[in-house]
Amino acid sequence: MPQPRVIYWFRTDLRLHDSPALKAALDLKPEFMYPIWTWDPHYVYHARVGSNRWQFLLDCQNDLSKSITKLNPKSKLFLIREAPQTLFPKLFKEWKITHLVYEKDTDAYGRDRDNKVNEIAKEAGVEVITRYGRTLYDSDELVEKNNNKPTMSISQVQAAGAKIGGIPRPVSSPKSLPDPGPTKLSFTQQRPASSPDINAIQRDAEEKSYTSLAGPNGDFAVPSMEELGLKPATTSHRGGETIGLKMLDEIIENEDYTATFEKPKTAPTAFEPQATTLLSPHMHFGSVSCREFYWRVQDVVSKYKGKASKPPVSLTGQLLFRDMYFGAQAALGYAFGQTYNNPQCRFIPWHLPSEIDTKTGLITGKYLVDNAEAEIHFKRWKEGRTGFPWIDALMRQLKLEGWIHHLGRHAVACFLTRGGCYIDWERGAEVFEEWLIDHEAACNIGNWQWLSCTAFFAQFFRCYSPVAFPQKWDKEGEFIRRYVPELKDFDKKYIYEPWKAPIVDQKKWGCLVKGDGSEGAGGATQTYPKPMFDFATQRDICLQGMKNAYHIGLYGNDPKVLDGTWRKLFDDHAEGPTEGTNGPPGAMVKHEDENAEGNGAESDNQETPTAPKDSKKRNGKIGTKEKNEHKRQASQSTLDSMVTRKKKKA
DNA sequence: CCTAGTGTTGCCGTT
DNA sequence: CAACGGCAACACTAG
């Protein structure tokens, strides 16, 4: 038996501390260990990744590489610029690898990729070792203990977690690392197809990920933003295990904060410093281990003298929610990221629905503009010019910094979907996917479903007001003044409703409320847009639409949703959201028989629509993988090529 | 089967 | 100022 030659494949576990997989690799006592990162075209071209998140990733890689070198000057993080699926067969041979070790993933794309890599390893006679360290519990085990069903509530997570037993304590960090072996690469690079390149809009120069296998200097170095052609990041939030652990230390040092944290009581309007930990991007990239976080908090709570908060509102509760979303994702696969064919997601005929590839049953990344006004609303929402300062401030902070407070995410998500624009949550999820530095597909998708009341949460009559809600924390409107500087001199009386300020005052405060915000700067006087609709009116329309859709009670996997005949169940007379048989295709696939069988006429006579109870027998069975075997063209949380392409042309 | 209570974080008016 | 109920009404869980 030759001494092991190990590849440790880093992915979203960019750390040395508490890594069960890394420990497993070291336990092999390898002759050589290569810590590598493969440059996956999925991330480069197909997932939406804004500059701010790119920077965070590169930060994590640089920091990790330095830490590796500190433990062994001969070693580092070796970046190899090829897709893992094509690289590994060649690499295994060239470096005479005996073992491949990595931390397991449960998202749909990750599983497909890893299954392929495992096959390749098997063919090459390479042993694969995986461990789970990305969540508190192994997501697959959590699902299993939840009767093989997706975890859809926090109580299910707690019950299933209790069956599993304790959350593992962090494993110790390595004190030393083996040498890497020879790093010569004599094979040729296979460049991945770069089309479609969803991230083209993130760049202002040529994309050069795949110049050569070991990079332009042949040293496997982490590339710079410039080298990747990426626009400069605008955020001040930086990545890396060193920074992440320091942030964690500072949180833990403050025992009162750590032990009494209650998420609903933290202010979404707080900036410098923010009210929450900002560890979420570190959770995503693995630069801080969630179990390290959990146990450091739990140990403070255990010995805390006062009254400590408890899940779900406590800090550890936040991690349980993360596990809940990972459990839902693990059980549902690709369907989790969309309404279509998702047994857990309510069907609501939103505006701007996703286009479906009828062959794969997956959303394509494009969407249908069923309503011109909704398209305008969507653009104004994304660009932070809705005319509602609270919404615009949040969206501008999101774009600039890549992070907004959780409750701020609630506010903008509710506003886009059930509590304002009545636009498909998948549109919003795509924007978050692009801009968030902490974007985690499972959590993002789950939270969008939550806020849009399509899954996890159902009390749609609890609707966030863009005027009243922020005032709970920020009567003065400091947050608005920071992110919507046009309004910085407005009196607090009008800061959340500037359109109500008298013209005289608007002039006095140096900003006129007019137009739609599209003119841009340049004029002599500053302007801030008028609100794009009357909120109260729009809220009522949304509530009516939600009530109706809930009453009809379809889920994403209902045959009527799959074939498009759902339209017959919706009454068209309501202006706005329901958009039944009227007009262009409202949602999902175009169904050929639209004209064949009576269109609007019959549905006027409203035979009792499918009762909500009927939906109870919806298919809750999971693991029927056969149907979901298809590859998605893009990242799990959908694409936005239509918008981006349009933007490019313009 | 039913009922009562609860659910991470709404808003508004009344007491 | 806090606490509460109405709003019009949902899903899930424990018993």
Side-chain angles (χ1 to χ4, degrees):
Chain A
M1 186 73 186
Q3 238 189 310
R5 295 187 173 201
V6 177
I7 284 179
Y8 187 82
W9 185 18
F10 280 99
R11 296 113 64 91
T12 45
D13 55 328
L14 293 166
R15 65 176 179 276
L16 293 181
H17 75 280
D18 185 35
S19 176
L22 182 59
K23 185 172 182 301
L26 296 173
D27 284 347
L28 294 168
K29 305 259 182 291
E31 176 188 16
F32 298 134
M33 187 181 87
Y34 298 91
I36 73 159
W37 171 279
T38 58
W39 213 235
D40 193 335
H42 178 75
Y43 207 75
V44 177
Y45 301 123
H46 306 324
R48 292 185 164 74
V49 190
S51 277
N52 286 332
R53 191 154 86 254
W54 271 112
Q55 177 180 272
F56 206 99
L57 168 64
L58 300 180
D59 282 351
C60 288
Q61 293 175 335
N62 276 311
D63 186 64
L64 176 66
S65 192
K66 256 193 242 166
S67 300
I68 292 170
T69 304
K70 243 183 236 170
L71 291 181
N72 183 339
K74 288 184 191 155
S75 196
K76 65 195 291 188
L77 180 65
F78 294 89
L79 263 77
I80 309 179
R81 298 164 178 234
E82 189 172 325
Q85 298 91 330
T86 59
L87 171 70
F88 277 132
K90 297 178 284 186
L91 198 60
F92 290 154
K93 213 183 266 177
E94 175 99 27
W95 288 353
K96 301 188 175 61
I97 297 302
T98 61
H99 294 77
L100 172 70
V101 186
Y102 61 86
E103 186 176 274
K104 195 175 121 183
D105 259 345
T106 47
D107 68 274
Y109 167 74
R111 271 205 226 260
D112 279 353
R113 178 199 57 210
D114 294 348
N115 288 339
K116 176 85 172 115
V117 167
N118 293 351
E119 267 172 45
I120 290 163
K122 200 173 172 193
E123 273 167 36
V126 169
E127 191 183 332
V128 176
I129 297 173
T130 64
R131 291 287 185 277
Y132 212 77
R134 201 169 169 191
T135 44
L136 302 179
Y137 300 104
D138 180 320
S139 301
D140 291 325
E141 205 182 349
L142 196 66
V143 171
E144 194 197 309
K145 294 287 190 288
N146 192 46
N147 307 315
N148 289 313
K149 286 191 298 223
T151 42
M152 300 305 289
S153 73
I154 205 69
S155 56
Q156 286 174 359
V157 172
Q158 286 169 312
K163 285 186 210 165
I164 292 174
I167 292 161
R169 282 267 176 186
V171 301
S172 52
S173 304
K175 304 273 184 301
S176 65
L177 292 172
D179 290 349
T183 56
K184 197 170 153 262
L185 300 173
S186 56
F187 52 84
T188 51
Q189 182 197 42
Q190 183 180 328
R191 292 190 190 189
S194 62
S195 159
D197 179 4
I198 198 88
N199 283 320
I201 53 155
Q202 310 300 342
R203 305 190 194 97
D204 52 12
E206 200 191 334
E207 200 285 308
K208 287 184 191 153
S209 289
Y210 300 100
T211 44
S212 59
L213 276 166
N217 303 318
D219 59 357
F220 301 93
V222 177
S224 65
M225 295 286 284
E226 293 74 36
E227 188 191 329
L228 298 176
L230 291 161
K231 292 174 191 170
T234 54
T235 185
S236 59
H237 306 306
R238 303 302 297 256
E241 183 182 16
T242 308
I243 291 177
L245 286 177
K246 198 164 159 261
M247 288 165 66
L248 180 59
D249 284 345
E250 279 163 20
I251 291 156
I252 298 300
E253 226 169 80
N254 187 340
E255 293 182 4
D256 290 325
Y257 178 87
T258 301
T260 64
F261 180 94
E262 289 181 51
K263 182 69 148 282
K265 289 189 182 164
T266 59
T269 52
F271 57 95
E272 281 177 2
Q274 291 87 352
T276 47
T277 67
L278 261 158
L279 285 174
S280 50
H282 294 283
M283 295 289 111
H284 171 67
F285 287 109
S287 44
V288 174
S289 148
C290 63
R291 291 170 183 175
E292 177 82 21
F293 184 18
Y294 179 90
W295 279 111
R296 295 276 298 275
V297 170
Q298 197 51 48
D299 288 344
V300 169
V301 168
S302 300
K303 63 175 204 275
Y304 189 66
K305 299 282 186 256
K307 201 180 162 216
S309 55
K310 288 205 276 288
V313 295
S314 64
L315 277 180
T316 54
Q318 307 313 302
L319 292 169
L320 290 174
F321 276 109
R322 188 169 170 271
D323 266 49
M324 176 182 81
Y325 291 133
F326 270 88
Q329 179 187 52
L332 292 164
Y334 285 110
F336 177 62
Q338 55 186 47
T339 302
Y340 193 82
N341 205 27
N342 182 343
Q344 298 292 334
C345 185
R346 281 183 179 280
F347 173 76
I348 315 274
W350 310 106
H351 292 308
L352 312 185
S354 295
E355 181 187 88
I356 308 294
D357 179 337
T358 48
K359 283 195 208 78
T360 62
L362 300 172
I363 54 179
T364 66
K366 296 179 184 168
Y367 64 88
L368 305 167
V369 179
D370 62 307
N371 178 299
E373 204 185 15
E375 173 71 354
I376 292 167
H377 290 166
F378 177 48
K379 288 221 165 85
R380 291 183 65 169
W381 174 84
K382 182 173 181 183
E383 291 161 14
R385 48 183 186 89
T386 64
F388 295 96
W390 168 235
I391 301 299
D392 293 343
L394 287 164
M395 291 306 291
R396 294 181 195 185
Q397 184 191 23
L398 170 61
K399 186 176 185 188
L400 186 73
E401 299 176 6
W403 181 92
I404 51 178
H405 185 280
H406 188 67
L407 293 180
R409 300 181 197 196
H410 279 212
V412 298
C414 179
F415 185 89
L416 183 73
T417 59
R418 67 178 167 89
C421 307
Y422 217 74
I423 287 170
D424 199 315
W425 64 265
E426 290 165 29
R427 302 288 76 68
E430 288 165 357
V431 172
F432 275 28
E433 181 193 0
E434 180 184 347
W435 283 346
L436 281 173
I437 53 170
D438 61 18
H439 173 259
E440 183 66 69
C443 302
N444 189 46
I445 291 160
N447 277 320
W448 274 94
Q449 292 178 359
W450 184 299
L451 264 300
S452 61
C453 290
T454 49
F456 300 101
F457 184 71
Q459 287 164 283
F460 55 78
F461 41 87
R462 289 192 188 165
C463 181
Y464 292 85
S465 156
V467 175
F469 185 67
Q471 296 198 44
K472 198 166 143 191
W473 295 274
D474 187 6
K475 284 262 194 304
E476 302 294 320
E478 298 298 340
F479 180 77
I480 305 298
R481 294 172 211 282
R482 160 77 173 232
Y483 292 101
V484 187
E486 308 95 285
L487 300 175
K488 70 176 166 34
D489 293 324
F490 270 54
D491 189 273
K492 65 178 178 186
K493 188 177 169 192
Y494 299 108
I495 192 75
Y496 292 106
E497 308 170 274
W499 62 92
K500 288 188 177 168
I503 301 289
V504 206
D505 288 333
Q506 292 181 20
K507 280 185 184 152
K508 192 171 73 191
W509 297 328
C511 179
L512 294 175
V513 179
K514 64 171 198 180
D516 64 2
S518 64
E519 310 86 30
T525 9
Q526 280 197 101
T527 64
Y528 177 76
K530 280 198 152 112
M532 63 188 192
F533 45 59
D534 177 69
F535 181 74
T537 309
Q538 201 62 25
R539 180 186 162 278
D540 288 345
I541 291 172
C542 287
L543 269 173
Q544 281 309 309
M546 292 300 289
K547 213 188 336 184
N548 186 39
Y550 261 64
H551 181 59
I552 289 168
L554 299 175
Y555 282 77
N557 68 335
D558 192 291
K560 295 188 189 71
V561 171
L562 299 180
D563 68 10
T565 53
W566 62 268
R567 287 176 179 80
K568 290 173 190 159
L569 302 176
F570 282 79
D571 169 20
D572 286 321
H573 302 303
E575 293 248 319
T578 59
E579 292 288 337
T581 49
N582 271 352
M588 306 307 155
V589 293
K590 284 173 231 132
H591 51 121
E592 312 80 71
D593 58 340
E594 181 143 27
N595 300 319
E597 295 171 43
N599 45 18
E602 269 164 301
S603 62
D604 282 358
N605 292 341
Q606 281 273 326
E607 7 160 15
T608 347
T610 323
K613 303 293 167 207
D614 287 2
S615 61
K616 280 260 168 67
K617 50 177 171 48
R618 70 188 191 264
N619 176 18
K621 246 202 279 163
I622 309 305
T624 47
K625 260 227 144 187
E626 324 82 79
K627 277 199 164 177
N628 281 340
E629 215 57 48
H630 327 278
K631 295 260 180 349
R632 272 198 53 171
Q633 295 96 323
S635 69
Q636 173 153 28
S637 59
T638 76
L639 304 172
D640 198 8
S641 55
M642 214 173 173
V643 179
T644 54
R645 255 174 238 149
K646 259 190 226 155
K647 236 188 178 173
K648 247 190 124 184
K649 271 184 209 157

